Amino acid sequence: MQPNIVLVSLLLAALVVWLGLDAVSVAPNRIVPGRGVDALGVAGWGGVALSVAPMLVVLGLAWRPTPNRLRWSAGLVVAMLSALPVWLLVAAALTVDSDMPQARMGIGAGIWATLFLLLLALIELRNRLAMSRALGWALLLVPLASLAACLSFGLAPLALRQEYQGRSAAFLSAIGEHLLLVGVAVSLSLLLGVGLAMTMRHWPRAQRVGFAILNFLQTIPSLALFGLLLAPLAWLSNRFDWLAALGVSGIGWAPALLALVGYSLLPMVRNTYVALDEVAPDVIDAARGMGMSRGQVFRQVRLPLALPVILEGIRITTVQAIGLTAVAALIGAGGLGTFIFQGLGQAAMDLVLLGALPILVMALVADALLGALTDLLRPGGAT
């Protein structure tokens, strides 16, 4: 039986980063740079041996993989993911001086890298065991429950938590702004994308010109596009009072929304065009032979068959828009990017993470939900 090279490589890499990189950083306050502490410095040889033992066991199981051994490996990987918040709790108690109320503990590169590699290992195990999408996500509930429990019991010195507590109201407002901007941009790009795709199908000469313009928009850097929109939008707001009353100006939500729609159109139009164009001609002929009108063929045959591919375009557009909206904070559009750029300006990486981590979670959740819906609508349903 051949070893699972992917799983072995991931666990070896996890061992290296866990033992070789700093697990946490400790600082007396927010201004002073933190001092890195590795796993050995946090828990000593006994704690390190206890933490690496499950990795070594999974390595042994992956060297001679069987379905049963892979199931045990999945359980151990979930257990290791669940133990990371507990490790942070222990590290906070052992490394942070309780007599210094301003002291803070940051999450080091060792924990972030280990988390990433263990999640990749879990994805590999899910694919090997052919787990359902629902079960794969359910496995993540155990580490999330562990994190919630540790946050409720302690972790007060955690720098990321302290950054959140100081900006909780602004943080929730930024999430709302981010989601609103993404939702409106995706909705508008969907309406425009379907319209453009239909136009290209009816007038083939428009196809080459349309895709050339959309491809050109993708090549413009986001900051450059914001700059190009600044002058015309400022002129329009000065020229028309009703636009100024709506809040349209050279900075703010208007240029951000236009830029997001522009970047979103290419994947939306391309997927919609391909989906509608590649429905089998035999199916269309059969529908027409049953007496369906052109509109009925489109609504009842072509569109349902094309819907999974169109949803793939919506998925790509949504994930792309969630990330690009962070840049819109540079022109005053709000959103979670505000924390990212504030953190970069203050050299406060935990503030950067406060903005970046929710964006990552939003993208993963949107990708998973739209991917599951796409699988459900495909012939044969989800697996």
Side-chain angles (χ1 to χ4, degrees):
M1 184 173 296
Q2 296 294 325
N4 187 320
I5 299 300
V6 174
L7 194 55
V8 169
S9 301
L10 289 173
L11 266 297
L12 285 174
L15 273 171
V16 171
V17 299
W18 179 252
L19 297 175
L21 299 179
D22 291 335
V24 296
S25 63
V26 182
N29 52 56
R30 190 174 187 268
I31 301 174
V32 178
R35 172 180 59 88
V37 183
D38 59 14
L40 183 60
V42 170
W45 289 106
V48 169
L50 187 63
S51 64
V52 302
M55 298 185 189
L56 296 175
V57 173
V58 175
L59 272 173
L61 294 174
W63 195 256
R64 287 288 202 178
T66 64
N68 193 44
R69 290 186 174 188
L70 291 178
R71 293 188 191 96
W72 277 103
S73 298
L76 286 171
V77 170
V78 171
M80 285 186 282
L81 288 170
S82 305
L84 287 177
V86 180
W87 178 271
L88 287 175
L89 195 63
V90 172
L94 295 177
T95 62
V96 179
D97 190 350
S98 59
D99 295 331
M100 300 178 65
Q102 299 301 320
R104 50 204 284 131
M105 182 188 74
I107 303 175
I111 288 183
W112 288 120
T114 302
L115 173 64
F116 176 69
L117 291 167
L118 289 179
L119 288 173
L120 289 180
L122 189 60
I123 294 173
E124 167 66 14
L125 288 165
R126 175 190 177 273
N127 293 334
R128 293 289 181 176
L129 293 171
M131 295 182 188
S132 65
R133 188 185 294 266
L135 179 57
W137 280 97
L139 290 176
L140 293 178
L141 294 178
V142 180
L144 290 176
S146 173
L147 176 61
C150 290
L151 287 174
S152 62
F153 288 135
L155 285 180
L158 188 65
L160 188 59
R161 181 173 182 172
Q162 291 180 0
E163 295 289 352
Y164 166 75
Q165 288 175 337
R167 299 169 175 81
S168 57
F171 178 77
L172 296 176
S173 176
I175 288 180
E177 293 169 354
H178 204 100
L179 289 175
L180 179 61
L181 198 53
V182 170
V184 174
V186 173
S187 300
L188 288 177
S189 63
L190 175 61
L191 294 175
L192 292 173
V194 171
L196 287 172
M198 295 290 294
T199 302
M200 291 178 184
R201 290 192 69 253
H202 283 88
W203 288 281
R205 291 183 179 180
Q207 176 190 348
R208 182 176 298 177
V209 177
F211 278 122
I213 294 173
L214 295 178
N215 282 319
F216 173 73
L217 283 176
Q218 289 286 324
T219 65
I220 304 176
S222 56
L223 289 178
L225 187 55
F226 291 147
L228 291 172
L229 292 172
L230 192 151
L233 288 176
W235 180 84
L236 287 172
S237 65
N238 289 328
R239 181 71 174 79
F240 301 101
D241 293 337
W242 63 274
L243 287 177
L246 290 174
V248 175
S249 65
I251 61 173
W253 64 267
L257 182 60
L258 288 176
L260 287 173
V261 172
Y263 284 124
S264 301
L265 280 176
L266 179 60
M268 196 74 77
V269 173
R270 182 167 51 200
N271 276 54
T272 304
Y273 180 88
V274 171
L276 294 174
D277 198 56
E278 291 193 352
V279 176
D282 294 345
V283 176
I284 303 300
D285 291 341
R288 288 174 179 167
M290 295 173 63
M292 287 186 178
S293 66
R294 189 169 183 174
Q296 288 175 321
V297 170
F298 178 80
R299 292 190 303 270
Q300 300 179 26
V301 179
R302 191 182 292 275
L303 185 59
L305 291 175
L307 194 56
V309 181
I310 295 175
L311 278 174
E312 280 293 325
I314 297 174
R315 181 179 67 83
I316 295 169
T317 300
T318 303
V319 173
Q320 176 181 275
I322 289 172
L324 284 174
T325 302
V327 186
L330 287 173
I331 56 169
L336 291 164
T338 304
F339 298 113
I340 296 176
F341 295 110
Q342 284 180 358
L344 290 174
Q346 301 171 19
M349 294 312 298
D350 292 292
L351 184 54
V352 174
L353 289 173
L354 185 64
L357 288 177
I359 293 175
L360 175 63
V361 172
M362 286 180 192
L364 290 174
V365 171
D367 181 77
L369 292 178
L370 291 172
L373 183 58
T374 302
D375 291 342
L376 190 64
L377 293 176
R378 282 198 178 104
T383 57

